[in-house]
Amino acid sequence: MLWKRKDLLGLEELSREEIELILDTAESFKDVSRRAIKKVPALRGKTVVNLFYEPSTRTRVSFEIAAKRLSADVINIMSETSSVRKGETLIDTGSNIQALKTDIIVVRHNCSGAAAILARHLDISVINAGDGWHEHPTQALLDILTLKERLGRLEGVSVAIVGDIAHSRVARSNIWGLTKLGVRVTVCAPKMLIPAGIEDLGVRVTHNLEDALKDADAVNVLRMQFERDEKNAFPNQIEYFKNFGITKERLARAKRSIIVMHPGPLNRGVEISSEVADGASSVILEQVTNGIAARMAVLFLVSQAQDNKE
Ligand code: CP
């Protein structure tokens, strides 16, 4: 199939075939990072702007590396050191970046829907690098790529997503992507961290960690998002770790082959023990590496869609 979208805003709007096309394209790009000269000319002459209104380590650096491996020029803009500090709106900032004859904006924003607003106003491509609690599509794509690589298939496998589901754009994107690909998804957290109506997205809900882990082929552990700072939204950290923390003892009661994922950054001793995060079941750093190929695929496909329009 041919990719036709100028933007990547979320996995909710994508078909199974579109997600599979991104994964297949990502797999073909993995080899570039293993070469002595880690570069292909696919985006030569294009300019990618990373526009970040929230802190980021993995996503921003990974997009920069992905764009550079495709031979694009890359500009990084952090809101705190830009004219956003002088009150410039998101749309004005985006319009000015477009007027500078750039090709792709990768945007991270604390407001859900920010990437979609920008995409509606601009002719150049917009990639959502995480918008509020809404979606983080490239994180889910790299998670799914890692799962597929490690488990050898997606259809029929069982994934437990454990942690702060309520505030998690990673959970939402994973749920949309995984369920479309035939993965059985269980979400597990205390009641206050599970959004109402999540079952309607085709997932099983449990508040019992042992129940969530018992048949899981993989557990994706989500970070407690303390920065969201909602009054009374968070359980006591010690209590949380006792009941929902992923520890070696808990994993001993799951499948021996279970893999442990986490989008990062980790809160060690809150949602995951260091022993597990750094242990043999952990694929956390493989996820980070796979982020390059997943983002190369997305940059390549949206760029190709724009070229095909011209
Ligand atoms: N997983 C993730 O989005 O990490 P960063 O916030 O460091 O980009």
Side-chain angles (χ1 to χ4, degrees), residues 184-244:
R184 288 179 289 131
V185 180
T186 298
V187 295
C188 175
K191 275 196 178 126
M192 66 184 78
L193 296 178
I194 299 266
I198 191 99
E199 299 91 342
D200 298 345
L201 303 186
V203 301
R204 182 172 80 91
V205 177
T206 178
H207 306 296
N208 180 311
L209 185 55
E210 212 162 312
D211 175 38
L213 294 181
K214 73 174 188 291
D215 295 320
D217 298 296
V219 56
N220 198 346
V221 190
L222 300 181
R223 183 171 70 84
M224 289 291 283
Q225 302 204 20
F226 299 113
E227 76 276 20
R228 304 288 175 201
D229 201 28
E230 266 199 300
K231 204 161 182 276
N232 301 327
F234 297 109
N236 173 283
Q237 285 183 39
I238 298 165
E239 203 58 21
Y240 181 84
F241 186 65
K242 212 167 98 190
N243 291 297
F244 293 93

Side-chain angles (χ1 to χ4, degrees), residues 291-307:
I292 300 171
R295 289 170 176 130
M296 285 172 83
V298 171
L299 289 165
F300 175 73
L301 290 169
V302 297
S303 172
Q304 207 181 41
Q306 293 280 46
D307 289 348

